[in-house]
C-alpha cells in the first residue's frame, strides 16, 4: 500500500532541451583565490616576516664573537642573504606587476592587489625570486653536506674550509644565477593568474603553456616546460 502512495508523491520533471537551459553565470559562482585580496595580503605578511627573520640571523652572526670566521657561519650567512632577496620579492606581491597587460580584458584576467610597475620591474621581481629561492634551497643542501663532512666523516675544519667550502658556495650561487638569468632571455617572467601572487616564471597568457592552442604573447611555452622539469629535478 505504500508503493502507490510513494509513486503518487514523485514529481516528474519536464524534459528540457539544451536551448532552453540558461547557463548564464554558471561558470563564475566562486572567485578564483588568486583574484581575491588574500592572494596579495598573505604573501606580504609571510614574505616580510621571513625576510625580517633572515635579517635578524645576519645581525646575530655579525655580532657574534667568531662572526664569519667559521664555515658554518659563512654558509648560514649565504642562506640568510638569499632568503632576504627571495622573501622581499614575495612580500612585494603585485606592486611590481605592470599596470596594464596586453589583452587582459579579452582574457578576462584579474589580479589582486595594486599594480604599479612595468615589464622591467616584473623582470626584476621574478629574477630576485628565482635567485633568492633557488640559492636559499641550495645553501640549505650545502649546509647538510657540511654537517656530513664535519660529523659523519669527521673532517678537519681547515680541510673543509680549503677543499669543500668553495665548491659549496659555487654550487649554491651558480644554481641561483642560472635559474634566474636564463628565463630573462625567453621573457618568462610575467604576472601569473593561477600560480603566483607575484611575477614568476610563467608564460602570458598561461593558456599558451597549458593548452598549446593559444598563442603566447610573452614567454616560450616549450622552454618553460624544460625549465620546470630541470628545476624540479634539481630541487
Amino acid at each position: 500500500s505504500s508503493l502507490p502512495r510513494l509513486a503518487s508523491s514523485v514529481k516528474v520533471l519536464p524534459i528540457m532541451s539544451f536551448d532552453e537551459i540558461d547557463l548564464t553565470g554558471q561558470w563564475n559562482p566562486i572567485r578564483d583565490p588568486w583574484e581575491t585580496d588574500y592572494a596579495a595580503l598573505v604573501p606580504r605578511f609571510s614574505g616580510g616576516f621571513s625576510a625580517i627573520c633572515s635579517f635578524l640571523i645576519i645581525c646575530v652572526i655579525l655580532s657574534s664573537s667568531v662572526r664569519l670566521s667559521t664555515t658554518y657561519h659563512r654558509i648560514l650567512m649565504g642562506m640568510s642573504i638569499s632568503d632576504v632577496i627571495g622573501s622581499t620579492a614575495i612580500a612585494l606581491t603585485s606592486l611590481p606587476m605592470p599596470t596594464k597587460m596586453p589583452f587582459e580584458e579579452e582574457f578576462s584576467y584579474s589580479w589582486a592587489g595594486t599594480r604599479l610597475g612595468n615589464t622591467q620591474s616584473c623582470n626584476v621581481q621574478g629574477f630576485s625570486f628565482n635567485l633568492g629561492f633557488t640559492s636559499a634551497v641550495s645553501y640549505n643542501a650545502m649546509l647538510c653536506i657540511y654537517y656530513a663532512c664535519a660529523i659523519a666523516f669527521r673532517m678537519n675544519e681547515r680541510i673543509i674550509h680549503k677543499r669543500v667550502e668553495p665548491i659549496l658556495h659555487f654550487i649554491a650561487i651558480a644554481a641561483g644565477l642560472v635559474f634566474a638569468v636564463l628565463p630573462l632571455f625567453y621573457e618568462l617572467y610575467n604576472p601569473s593568474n593561477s600560480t603566483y601572487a607575484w611575477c614568476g616564471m610563467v608564460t602570458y597568457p598561461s593558456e599558451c603553456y597549458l593548452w598549446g592552442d593559444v598563442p603566447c604573447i610573452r614567454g616560450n611555452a616549450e622552454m618553460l616546460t624544460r625549465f620546470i622539469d630541470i628545476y624540479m629535478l634539481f630541487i
Side-chain angles (χ1 to χ4, degrees), residues 36-48 90-91 93-94 112-113 197:
T36 63
D37 294 334
Y38 295 103
L41 291 176
V42 173
R44 289 177 186 174
F45 285 102
S46 60
I90 294 175
T93 59
S94 62

Side-chain angles (χ1 to χ4, degrees), residues 90-167:
I90 294 175
L92 293 174
T93 59
S94 62
L95 294 178
M97 287 184 180
T99 55
K100 184 73 173 180
M101 290 297 294
F103 306 105
E104 63 177 72
E105 292 87 0
E106 288 77 0
F107 290 120
S108 299
Y109 278 0
S110 177
W111 291 276
T114 304
R115 294 183 289 165
L116 301 175
N118 50 34
T119 302
Q120 287 70 29
S121 61
C122 188
N123 285 335
V124 171
Q125 185 184 34
F127 176 89
S128 301
F129 170 72
N130 268 20
L131 174 64
F133 179 77
T134 306
S135 296
V137 172
S138 301
Y139 265 116
N140 191 25
M142 300 306 108
L143 188 62
C144 295
I145 295 177
Y146 165 74
Y147 284 143
C149 294
I151 300 175
F153 300 110
R154 300 179 181 272
M155 295 178 62
N156 185 274
E157 183 73 17
R158 184 176 299 178
I159 297 178
I160 296 177
H161 170 63
K162 289 184 178 181
R163 300 181 180 179
V164 180
E165 184 181 352
I167 300 176

Side-chain angles (χ1 to χ4, degrees), residues 33-231:
W34 302 102
E35 299 177 7
T36 63
D37 294 334
Y38 295 103
L41 291 176
V42 173
R44 289 177 186 174
F45 285 102
S46 60
F49 186 73
S50 178
I52 292 173
C53 290
S54 295
F55 179 76
L56 292 177
I57 293 176
I58 295 174
C59 294
V60 170
I61 293 175
L62 296 178
S63 61
S64 64
S65 58
V66 295
R67 295 190 177 182
L68 295 175
S69 61
T70 64
T71 300
Y72 170 72
H73 273 192
R74 287 189 290 269
I75 294 177
L76 194 61
M77 173 67 75
M79 184 167 59
S80 299
I81 294 175
S82 301
D83 184 69
V84 168
I85 296 173
S87 297
T88 302
I90 294 175
L92 293 174
T93 59
S94 62
L95 294 178
M97 287 184 180
T99 55
K100 184 73 173 180
M101 290 297 294
F103 306 105
E104 63 177 72
E105 292 87 0
E106 288 77 0
F107 290 120
S108 299
Y109 278 0
S110 177
W111 291 276
T114 304
R115 294 183 289 165
L116 301 175
N118 50 34
T119 302
Q120 287 70 29
S121 61
C122 188
N123 285 335
V124 171
Q125 185 184 34
F127 176 89
S128 301
F129 170 72
N130 268 20
L131 174 64
F133 179 77
T134 306
S135 296
V137 172
S138 301
Y139 265 116
N140 191 25
M142 300 306 108
L143 188 62
C144 295
I145 295 177
Y146 165 74
Y147 284 143
C149 294
I151 300 175
F153 300 110
R154 300 179 181 272
M155 295 178 62
N156 185 274
E157 183 73 17
R158 184 176 299 178
I159 297 178
I160 296 177
H161 170 63
K162 289 184 178 181
R163 300 181 180 179
V164 180
E165 184 181 352
I167 300 176
L168 301 183
H169 288 292
F170 174 80
I171 293 176
I173 296 174
L177 288 175
V178 167
F179 284 106
V181 172
L182 288 181
L184 290 173
F185 293 98
Y186 298 96
E187 298 183 336
L188 283 175
Y189 290 133
N190 300 290
S192 172
N193 69 318
S194 60
T195 309
Y196 311 99
W198 55 88
C199 291
M201 196 169 63
V202 65
T203 58
Y204 180 82
S206 59
E207 284 78 2
C208 73
Y209 161 69
L210 298 174
W211 299 336
D213 57 349
V214 178
C216 292
I217 298 177
R218 277 182 55 84
N220 186 304
E222 181 180 356
M223 290 305 302
L224 178 61
T225 304
R226 294 181 181 178
F227 275 129
I228 293 177
D229 292 340
I230 297 175
Y231 194 77

Side-chain angles (χ1 to χ4, degrees), residues 16-27:
M16 300 177 63
S17 64
F18 284 106
D19 297 334
E20 296 175 322
I21 300 176
D22 183 14
L23 295 178
T24 304
Q26 293 297 314
W27 299 105

